[in-house]
Amino acid sequence: MKRIVEYMKRNYKVILVITALSAVLWSFIPSEKKSDPEKDKLLLELLTMVLERGHYSPVAIDDAFSKKVYAKYLDGIDPTKRFFLQTDIEEFSKYELQIDDMIKRKDLTFFNLTNSRLLQRMEECRAIYEEVLAAPFDFTAHENINVDYEKLPYAKNKKELIDRWRKQLKLQALSTITDKQKLEEDKKSKDASYRAKSFDVIEKEVRENSLKSLNEYFDFIQKELTRNDWFSIYINAIVERFDPHTFYFSPEDKEKFDVSMSGTFEGIGARLQKKNDAVEISELISGGPAWKGKELEAGDLILKVAQGKEEPIDVAGMRLDDVVKKIKGPKGTEVRLTVKKVDGSIKVISIIRDEVETEETFAKSSIVEKDGKRFGIIYLPKFYISFENKENRDAYKDIAVEIERLKAQNIDGLVMDLRDNGGGSLETVVKMVGLFIPEGPVVQVKGPGRNPEILPDPDKKVQYDGPLVVMINNFSASASEIFAAAIQDYKRGIVVGSKHSYGKGTVQNVIDLNQFIRGNSYGDLGALKTTIQKFYRINGGSTQREGVMSDIVFPDRYTYLDMGERDEESALPWDKIAPASYEPLPINYDQIIANSKKRIAANAYFKLIDENAKWIYERKDDNTFSLNLNQFKKEMEQSDAKIKKFKVLLDYNNKLNFSSLPNEVSLFEKDSLLKQKRERWHEDLQKDVYIEETLNVIAEIKASKNGKALPKKLSIN
């Protein structure tokens, strides 16, 4: 098996699955390139076999399964119910309980019917929105729109569908018009000679911009999406019924996943975006070949692409993904881009491809001083690793380096910021926990029908033995939760942040589907990410659904909303197993936690954040809006009055000074983009009320006498 994400060498069940699948599928040896439908049928068979035999908790593919796939798929392709008619749904409904049987028969009738009907309805809807936007809206009429699309019925006929489009576009127009009117009023208040645009002018501009945006969207659908893209949506409606983290990757999506996990790729180091029929350079990646060459600039339009000395190919109207494929390529090879510069000149730029690091993926650190103490902050966006080359950067190695750099600055404490960290490599997080503890188990991993496997700290070395606080939020998931849970269970530090983390307590494996087909002439079949294990804390509890509960809870916008894995219908259940044998450190943080809670309760900003969270919760079911201009403005003014009260939160400044470490400062002279990125990060930290209280907590850990009770191998002060 290729590209094993987590500890799979000892997972004999998955190996048996592969062996069995290979034997079954040797019969699929096509003699010539098959059509897409034949490839789609093969994909259905491959995916269901792998899932039924290799998923941690396979579900029965029966009528109940079929019903849920049916609903998930239709919601995926028409979420706002602005394409299909009720007559379409009535026609589709006969398949609602047949999808399970159709999967087993490799029958594509349901997909073919819904896909062709969707494309037909989309083309018909072009005429609808063009007609709606051709004339001014009547904003004097007293009518409402409900945007709870989940409960909204499908339009009974074309007349109802036109009215739905009209109301949706009218709501968008109302929102934009009122915003533009405020801007005009602001300009007039600052300059008495300014001639503000009339309502009619603004309204016309808004309709014209809406038409342009919709045309661009529908052009994208028509020109950029292929049958494979639509079929991927259908496939994922099926595989996600097993659990939310089981997912089919098309070949393009698999490549993007690899890049996101490793933080590196081979190419020129430029981000591209569609601009009408052209492809525009939106950003140069700091340190990449294009950035080093200083010829290519953001805003340049790519007209042609040539490989080395080959003839250039015109890319006008080409799919963005196809243009990206032509520009990316192996390290050391040449690509020649014919570009139209911002000044209108045409230029041919030669670039030698190289390995590019997406810098924002990687760990970064900062120093901050507070009350005479120096603290280090490490922000880790994900637990990245290169599966292809273990010599490349990974989060464990980078964090170890950052810790040494911070220790050289004589820090009094360390903050590990894992907010919004969605996880990553299990191997990496296990080793990373080992940087903070002398030895012992880190996490337990359990496959179906097997005893738990304890994954320990691989060495006895402690990289950092000082005061430690881990920051999490609702979107800290998977590997982030393993790290926070281990630190919490060992009492190695204090976990602060949202009430709980995301709650993803499962391990996935990415399986290359091409390995199952001998002499494959179907083309790249993509890959399947599937759940093969669950992980458990060393105290025996699962983080699945429940997440990690913070020792100190910071109020945030989502405090009263049910966020995370617990909100996923197909999520695996919470459970627990026997605890591993481990010894928590003899530390009592109770007083430090109590002191922080008192500060939070007395903090005016935290009180306002909590009030904002309650307001958001109260409004979550408010889905009806007036489409009468005066009434809409009145509703918005009432809402704005409340929002204005909360806008003060955006003005918060902790007045702390954050600075980069000497190794980065030395790079700033040559890398102005890196300097700008760090300055923006430091500005964000200054506006972060949570950082300030986190530093209060870590300062108390430093000042406490807990360290005297610790083993000689590990001290806290």
Side-chain angles (χ1 to χ4, degrees):
M1 185 180 295
K2 300 177 181 177
R3 297 174 181 170
I4 303 300
V5 176
E6 311 297 0
Y7 288 82
M8 292 304 302
K9 290 183 179 178
R10 294 183 294 276
N11 197 324
Y12 67 91
K13 284 204 170 186
V14 174
I15 294 173
L16 288 175
V17 168
I18 290 172
T19 305
L21 283 173
S22 299
V24 170
L25 295 166
W26 283 142
S27 58
F28 290 97
I29 308 176
S31 58
E32 58 183 16
K33 182 94 172 181
K34 299 294 182 182
S35 63
D36 277 341
E38 291 303 309
K39 178 180 176 180
D40 295 342
K41 291 177 183 179
L42 176 59
L43 263 179
L44 273 178
E45 181 158 15
L46 266 174
L47 291 168
T48 51
M49 280 187 174
V50 172
L51 288 168
E52 287 178 329
R53 303 185 189 193
H55 190 273
Y56 178 85
S57 181
V59 297
I61 300 180
D62 54 16
D63 286 354
F65 177 92
S66 178
K67 191 172 184 177
K68 289 177 178 178
V69 170
Y70 175 86
K72 176 82 172 177
Y73 171 61
L74 290 183
D75 182 63
I77 58 177
D78 190 11
T80 57
K81 297 179 179 175
R82 60 175 178 171
F83 296 124
F84 290 133
L85 299 172
Q86 181 59 38
T87 52
D88 296 323
I89 302 304
E90 290 169 1
E91 185 177 354
F92 301 158
S93 64
K94 65 183 179 183
Y95 298 103
E96 186 175 12
L97 301 180
Q98 294 184 30
I99 295 175
D100 55 322
D101 301 311
M102 298 176 81
I103 291 171
K104 294 167 186 174
R105 297 197 308 266
K106 297 177 289 181
D107 186 341
L108 302 179
T109 303
F110 175 67
F111 169 73
N112 289 335
L113 172 63
T114 53
N115 184 240
S116 62
R117 186 66 51 81
L118 176 67
L119 297 179
Q120 175 192 335
R121 294 298 185 218
M122 282 184 164
E123 189 58 36
E124 291 170 357
C125 285
R126 272 185 181 268
I128 292 176
Y129 73 70
E130 286 173 355
E131 181 181 349
V132 169
L133 293 171
F137 290 106
D138 178 7
F139 292 115
T140 63
H142 289 277
E143 57 182 355
N144 298 320
I145 183 172
N146 189 308
V147 295
D148 186 359
Y149 298 113
E150 187 177 343
K151 296 177 183 176
L152 194 70
Y154 287 91
K156 293 178 183 177
N157 48 48
K158 188 174 180 181
K159 182 180 178 181
E160 273 195 15
L161 188 64
I162 292 171
D163 194 57
R164 180 163 299 175
W165 271 92
R166 181 187 63 80
K167 285 186 174 182
Q168 288 181 355
L169 292 173
K170 188 176 180 180
L171 178 63
Q172 293 172 22
L174 271 171
S175 179
T176 308
I177 287 168
T178 51
D179 287 343
K180 285 183 175 291
Q181 282 185 314
K182 287 178 185 176
L183 290 174
E184 291 298 301
E185 290 168 6
D186 289 343
K187 290 177 182 177
K188 184 70 175 176
S189 65
K190 293 174 183 176
D191 181 3
S193 64
Y194 177 75
R195 292 188 61 184
K197 294 178 182 178
S198 67
F199 176 85
D200 290 342
V201 169
I202 293 174
E203 194 272 347
K204 185 179 180 182
E205 284 181 356
V206 168
R207 282 187 291 110
E208 288 173 346
N209 289 335
S210 291
L211 180 62
K212 181 182 177 183
S213 296
L214 281 167
N215 283 337
E216 287 175 352
Y217 168 73
F218 276 74
D219 285 344
F220 169 80
I221 294 292
Q222 185 178 26
K223 298 176 182 178
E224 297 292 317
L225 296 187
T226 65
R227 175 191 167 89
N228 289 339
D229 296 313
W230 293 112
F231 192 66
S232 290
I233 298 174
Y234 178 59
I235 285 288
N236 278 310
I238 294 171
V239 303
E240 286 177 24
R241 291 312 314 156
F242 285 75
D243 81 300
H245 308 291
T246 292
F247 191 83
Y248 167 70
F249 289 112
S250 66
E252 293 80 9
D253 289 337
K254 177 59 171 62
E255 185 179 357
K256 292 173 186 174
F257 173 76
D258 288 342
V259 169
S260 72
M261 284 298 294
S262 68
T264 63
F265 63 92
E266 292 184 352
I268 67 170
R271 290 192 172 89
L272 312 181
Q273 66 183 17
K274 267 290 200 178
K275 189 170 185 180
N276 299 323
D277 279 342
V279 174
E280 182 182 60
I281 304 291
S282 61
E283 183 185 353
L284 299 181
I285 297 173
S286 178
W291 177 85
K292 290 177 181 176
K294 298 182 179 179
E295 291 187 275
L296 200 63
E297 300 172 284
D300 289 350
L301 297 178
I302 300 175
L303 306 178
K304 298 178 182 180
V305 178
Q307 310 301 324
K309 296 180 179 179
E310 294 180 11
E311 283 295 311
I313 297 174
D314 193 330
V315 297
M318 191 178 288
R319 280 166 44 95
L320 183 60
D321 282 347
D322 293 333
V323 177
V324 171
K325 285 179 185 176
K326 293 185 181 304
I327 294 175
K328 289 176 70 174
K331 177 180 178 179
T333 58
E334 181 193 23
V335 62
R336 287 184 295 116
L337 305 181
T338 303
V339 301
K340 182 178 182 181
K341 305 294 289 182
V342 178
D343 63 7
S345 61
I346 306 296
K347 188 174 183 180
V348 177
I349 299 174
S350 172
I351 303 173
I352 303 300
R353 300 177 177 106
D354 201 349
E355 189 171 89
V356 180
E357 294 183 343
T358 52
E359 180 270 332
E360 65 270 23
T361 298
F362 299 126
K364 56 188 177 185
S365 60
S366 179
I367 291 284
V368 59
E369 294 193 15
K370 188 176 189 296
D371 300 330
K373 301 291 185 184
R374 288 166 65 82
F375 301 106
I377 299 172
I378 298 179
Y379 174 64
L380 184 68
K382 64 176 61 179
F383 289 82
Y384 49 89
I385 191 172
S386 173
F387 298 117
E388 302 292 345
N389 185 354
K390 290 297 180 74
E391 297 303 313
N392 287 350
R393 292 181 70 167
D394 69 50
Y396 160 70
K397 291 186 287 189
D398 284 356
I399 293 295
V401 170
E402 293 301 322
I403 287 173
E404 286 305 303
R405 289 170 175 167
L406 288 167
K407 283 164 63 177
Q409 300 300 307
N410 299 313
I411 59 171
D412 294 295
L414 176 63
V415 176
M416 283 294 301
D417 188 352
L418 302 183
R419 290 176 294 178
D420 300 318
N421 183 316
S425 165
L426 179 61
E427 175 186 354
T428 299
V429 70
V430 169
K431 291 194 291 185
M432 193 179 298
V433 171
L435 296 172
F436 301 93
I437 64 171
E439 57 185 319
V442 172
V443 65
Q444 302 186 80
V445 180
K446 187 179 183 302
R450 298 182 62 190
N451 293 326
E453 178 185 3
I454 296 173
L455 306 183
D457 172 12
D459 62 59
K460 295 183 179 181
K461 180 183 177 183
V462 179
Q463 190 92 14
Y464 177 74
D465 63 359
L468 176 67
V469 173
V470 181
M471 300 185 76
I472 62 170
N473 63 10
N474 290 294
F475 306 104
S476 302
S478 193
S480 301
E481 296 173 288
I482 292 174
F483 184 90
I487 296 301
Q488 193 176 62
D489 289 344
Y490 275 109
K491 294 190 176 181
R492 174 60 186 87
I494 294 178
V495 177
V496 304
S498 300
K499 184 168 58 177
H500 57 74
S501 56
Y502 189 83
K504 179 182 178 292
T506 54
V507 181
Q508 282 71 43
N509 176 29
V510 178
I511 301 172
D512 184 350
L513 296 175
N514 296 293
Q515 65 187 299
F516 298 123
I517 308 299
R518 179 187 294 168
N520 179 17
S521 61
Y522 286 99
D524 195 339
L525 296 170
L528 176 71
K529 176 166 70 77
T530 185
T531 297
I532 44 86
Q533 295 170 317
K534 286 179 79 172
F535 63 76
Y536 297 82
R537 302 172 66 137
I538 53 177
N539 70 10
S542 172
T543 61
Q544 177 62 17
R545 283 185 180 264
E546 297 301 311
V548 176
M549 309 302 289
S550 293
D551 298 311
I552 298 171
V553 177
F554 294 154
D556 61 37
R557 289 164 56 87
Y558 310 106
T559 297
Y560 301 100
L561 299 177
D562 213 11
M563 302 287 292
E565 188 89 354
R566 63 189 66 198
D567 198 40
E568 295 282 353
E569 182 192 0
S570 60
L572 297 182
W574 179 90
D575 62 343
K576 66 183 299 184
I577 59 175
S581 178
Y582 72 102
E583 293 184 18
L585 297 172
I587 302 176
N588 189 327
Y589 293 118
D590 289 352
Q591 190 57 54
I592 295 172
I593 292 171
N595 291 344
S596 179
K597 288 181 178 179
K598 287 179 183 177
R599 285 191 298 270
I600 291 170
N603 186 298
Y605 278 94
F606 281 133
K607 287 180 181 178
L608 195 57
I609 291 170
D610 189 62
E611 186 181 340
N612 188 21
K614 288 177 180 176
W615 183 67
I616 289 171
Y617 177 76
E618 291 166 359
R619 285 172 53 88
K620 69 181 176 66
D621 296 322
D622 187 5
N623 299 306
T624 303
F625 296 90
S626 172
L627 295 178
N628 174 276
L629 178 62
N630 293 332
Q631 184 62 30
F632 181 83
K633 280 187 173 183
K634 184 178 178 181
E635 291 173 359
M636 291 303 103
E637 284 169 2
Q638 291 172 349
S639 180
D640 287 347
K642 197 73 173 178
I643 291 172
K644 189 176 182 180
K645 181 179 181 180
F646 301 128
K647 277 186 178 178
V648 68
L649 295 171
L650 301 176
D651 300 327
Y652 177 81
N653 192 313
N654 54 39
K655 297 184 174 138
L656 297 170
N657 291 318
F658 299 86
S659 57
S660 292
L661 276 63
N663 67 291
E664 276 196 343
V665 173
S666 65
L667 299 174
F668 289 164
E669 189 174 335
K670 294 182 179 179
D671 192 343
S672 59
L673 183 57
L674 177 63
K675 182 181 180 182
Q676 291 173 20
K677 288 180 178 179
R678 289 297 180 265
E679 287 173 347
R680 284 199 295 267
W681 180 42
H682 293 158
E683 287 171 5
D684 290 340
L685 289 174
Q686 283 185 323
K687 296 178 181 179
D688 194 337
V689 66
Y690 303 118
I691 282 288
E692 184 172 21
E693 177 54 26
T694 298
L695 296 179
N696 290 335
V697 172
I698 205 163
E700 283 203 33
I701 298 175
K702 175 66 179 176
S704 71
K705 297 180 180 180
N706 283 322
K708 292 182 179 179
L710 292 179
K712 291 181 180 179
K713 290 182 180 178
L714 192 65
S715 64
I716 288 296
N717 59 358

